[in-house]
Amino acid sequence: MNIVLLSQVIAAVIGALFMAYNLFHYVLFLLVTRPKDASKIGHQLNEFEQRQLIEWTPRPHDFLKHDDEKRTYDDVFGTYRDEQSNYSTCVFPRLAFSHPYEAECALLKPKDGMRFLDLGCGSGAAAEYLARRSNIEIVCVTNSSVQAEICRRKFASLGGRGQVIVIDFDSLDLK
C-alpha cells in the first residue's frame, strides 16, 4: 500500500514539475516575443546613472589580457567544433519540445525577400533555421574559418541565399 501511494506521489511531483517548467518557459517566451515599447526610456539619466558614468568607467587595468594574443578561436576550439555543436550567446526561453531558434524566428518575423546579417554566426545553426523557414537571403559573419566551413556546408542546399564571410566584424565594411 505504501509503495503504491509513494509512486503516486512521485508521479504527481514529476508531473507538477514538468507543468511548472513549461508554464514558466511559456511566460518567458511570451515576454521575449512581445517586447514593450521602450522608445521613451533612456532620454535622460537619473542621479544614479550619472554617478555610474563617473564611478564605473572602465580603467586600463580593468581589462584582462589574453595569454597569447596571436591565438585565434580556431587555434583554441577548432578541433572541438562540428555540425552538431550548436550554441548561442543569447539565451531565449523556449517551451519543452520546441525548436531552439523558435523565439528568434518569432522576434525577427522573417518574410520572403528579406535580407539578414548575422554577426558572430557561429556554425550558422540559427541562420540556417531562419533561411529554411522562409525565402530570405542571409549573410553570416564569423572570425573562425572552421565555423565558416561548417556554415557553408549547411548553406549548400539554400540555392545561393546564404553567404559566409570570415572576418573580424569590427573591421567589416558592408553597405
Side-chain angles (χ1 to χ4, degrees):
M1 185 71 171
N2 286 339
I3 293 176
V4 173
L5 182 62
L6 182 63
S7 63
Q8 289 175 341
V9 168
I10 290 173
V13 167
I14 290 172
L17 288 173
F18 181 75
M19 288 176 48
Y21 172 84
N22 278 317
L23 179 64
F24 176 70
H25 281 84
Y26 181 70
V27 168
L28 289 176
F29 181 84
L30 289 176
L31 290 172
V32 166
T33 56
R34 291 171 177 79
K36 300 284 185 207
D37 178 26
S39 62
K40 294 179 179 64
I41 296 174
H43 293 291
Q44 189 174 5
L45 298 178
N46 63 32
E47 181 184 339
F48 177 73
E49 292 167 329
Q50 290 172 357
R51 278 200 328 258
Q52 279 182 316
L53 286 176
I54 298 166
E55 296 171 8
W56 295 354
T57 302
R59 293 171 189 82
H61 66 275
D62 291 336
F63 297 99
L64 295 174
K65 297 292 183 193
H66 195 281
D67 62 342
D68 178 3
E69 296 196 14
K70 295 188 187 331
R71 291 195 313 174
T72 66
Y73 177 92
D74 290 341
D75 295 336
V76 179
F77 298 110
T79 57
Y80 303 105
R81 298 291 299 157
D82 61 26
E83 282 83 351
Q84 282 71 44
S85 300
N86 294 325
Y87 67 93
S88 177
T89 55
C90 298
V91 179
F92 289 107
R94 64 187 186 102
L95 296 173
F97 313 116
S98 67
H99 195 277
Y101 302 108
E102 191 59 36
E104 288 88 337
C105 194
L107 283 169
L108 296 172
K109 299 179 178 112
K111 293 177 181 52
D112 290 352
M114 291 177 84
R115 298 176 69 205
F116 285 85
L117 175 64
D118 187 354
L119 298 175
C121 67
S123 62
E128 179 193 28
Y129 179 76
L130 293 173
R132 293 207 182 280
R133 298 272 317 243
S134 53
N135 189 18
I136 63 169
E137 182 182 324
I138 192 155
V139 175
C140 290
V141 178
T142 181
N143 63 356
S144 166
S145 58
V146 171
Q147 289 179 332
E149 190 53 40
I150 293 169
C151 197
R152 286 186 185 105
R153 285 196 298 267
K154 288 179 179 177
F155 286 176
S157 64
L158 294 178
R161 292 185 295 124
Q163 178 186 357
V164 183
I165 300 172
V166 180
I167 192 170
D168 182 354
F169 66 75
D170 286 331
S171 57
L172 185 64
D173 186 24
L174 291 175
K175 294 179 183 176

